[in-house]
Amino acid sequence: MSLRAPLARVLGYGSTQDGVRHWRAQRLTAYALVPLTVWLLLALIRVPLSDYAAVTAWIASGWNPVLLGLAVLAMSWHSQLGVQVVIEDYVHGATAKGTLLLLSKFGHVLLAAGGSYAVLRVAMRGF
Amino acid sequence: MRARPLSPHLSVYRFTHTMALSILHRIAGLYMAVGLLLLVAWLMAAAQGEDSYELFVARWSGGWIRLLLMGWLAAFVYHFMNGIRHLFWDAGIALERVPSRRSAWLVITATVIVLALSGYLLFCPQAGAP
């Protein structure tokens, strides 16, 4: 048991690199996802998913492509932040942890880019 | 680099319902990360044209995908409601023992109801298949 004050123990270790940025981004994306995911869920229930024409018509109509694109981006970002914390907490060993964090980041960027591209491609059909 | 001070980890705490809900939040989140993969694959299939979309639908239909969908729906409802609990806590609301236990039960009950309801709708023959 150390007699040093908690503050004195952490001072002098330098920056933690991240500060509150991760926490704030997680909250920001959570707020955005509250309306976006409810909208997406209701749409997915209503649209007949096995009907190609109906699905693409829904994706392309009105504000749907914009909201769908934003939903995919926010979900990818929020997911990356969450998976990152899980890896940081439960994977031990610098190599395994670093590799998994890198793979998760690349994977989530791929999802964000792929989802945006796919939505745009369906929405732009016929232009 | 000197070793950094770590916060106390799992092993120092007595297991309580708050821990169960917390770990379930992470599991539901991870499961939905896999769901995001499927969502993007679905959008990509729609973008590739009718043939690839039909192929996607054919591959991702049947009883087992309904089971997975049920899981995603339950995971979403749980993570969504529990996430809102966290957002209220951030504002310092309902953080005390009694209200937090009450909201915990609300989240669990809602999840079980959605799970049961979606199970009935997805597996009952006259209800529409996804």
Side-chain angles (χ1 to χ4, degrees):
Chain A
M1 183 75 196
S2 165
L3 293 174
R4 300 182 69 199
L7 181 64
R9 281 202 292 146
V10 295
L11 286 178
Y13 280 92
S15 158
T16 59
Q17 314 301 331
D18 186 64
V20 293
R21 216 177 61 187
H22 183 283
W23 186 89
R24 287 180 70 121
Q26 194 166 47
R27 266 54 187 184
L28 180 79
T29 48
Y31 288 132
L33 283 171
V34 170
L36 284 173
T37 50
V38 171
W39 168 79
L40 182 61
L41 181 70
L42 292 179
L44 287 179
I45 291 172
R46 250 177 323 173
V47 178
L49 293 180
S50 51
D51 182 349
Y52 171 75
V55 166
T56 49
W58 172 76
I59 293 175
S61 86
W63 282 83
N64 290 350
V66 178
L67 294 177
L68 198 52
L70 288 176
V72 169
L73 290 179
M75 283 192 284
S76 305
W77 192 1
H78 191 79
S79 173
Q80 136 63 24
L81 293 169
V83 172
Q84 181 193 337
V85 174
V86 171
I87 294 171
E88 284 169 352
D89 279 0
Y90 303 122
V91 180
H92 303 295
T95 314
K97 187 179 283 198
T99 310
L100 278 178
L101 284 173
L102 196 71
L103 284 177
S104 164
K105 274 203 175 113
F106 283 171
H108 281 98
V109 170
L110 192 68
L111 286 179
S116 315
Y117 162 79
V119 171
L120 274 179
R121 188 163 166 192
V122 174
M124 295 296 188
R125 192 162 293 164
F127 276 91
Chain B
M1 196 167 111
R2 278 195 290 167
R4 293 180 175 283
L6 288 172
S7 58
H9 207 45
L10 286 177
S11 50
V12 307
Y13 298 109
R14 186 169 55 87
F15 193 85
T16 60
H17 72 284
T18 48
M19 265 170 98
L21 262 76
S22 170
I23 195 71
L24 210 57
H25 194 75
R26 288 191 163 187
I27 291 170
L30 283 180
Y31 186 58
M32 279 194 294
V34 179
L36 183 60
L37 218 66
L38 186 68
L39 183 79
V40 170
W42 171 69
L43 287 171
M44 204 51 117
Q48 303 287 313
E50 189 156 10
D51 292 342
S52 69
Y53 191 79
E54 307 272 285
L55 204 69
F56 181 87
V57 170
R59 188 171 299 157
W60 291 96
S61 52
W64 59 277
I65 182 70
R66 291 187 194 190
L67 211 63
L68 289 177
L69 281 172
M70 248 175 83
W72 273 308
L73 193 63
F76 170 72
V77 170
Y78 177 79
H79 196 93
F80 184 90
M81 292 188 73
N82 202 47
I84 286 176
R85 267 177 100 217
H86 275 277
L87 294 180
F88 274 108
W89 290 338
D90 289 345
I93 300 169
L95 196 53
E96 299 81 9
R97 183 198 278 261
V98 174
S100 93
R101 190 163 292 185
R102 198 174 297 146
S103 62
W105 277 113
L106 183 72
V107 169
I108 294 288
T109 312
T111 306
V112 170
I113 289 174
V114 166
L115 198 61
L117 205 67
S118 63
Y120 171 73
L121 287 175
L122 286 170
F123 286 98
C124 169
Q126 61 266 38

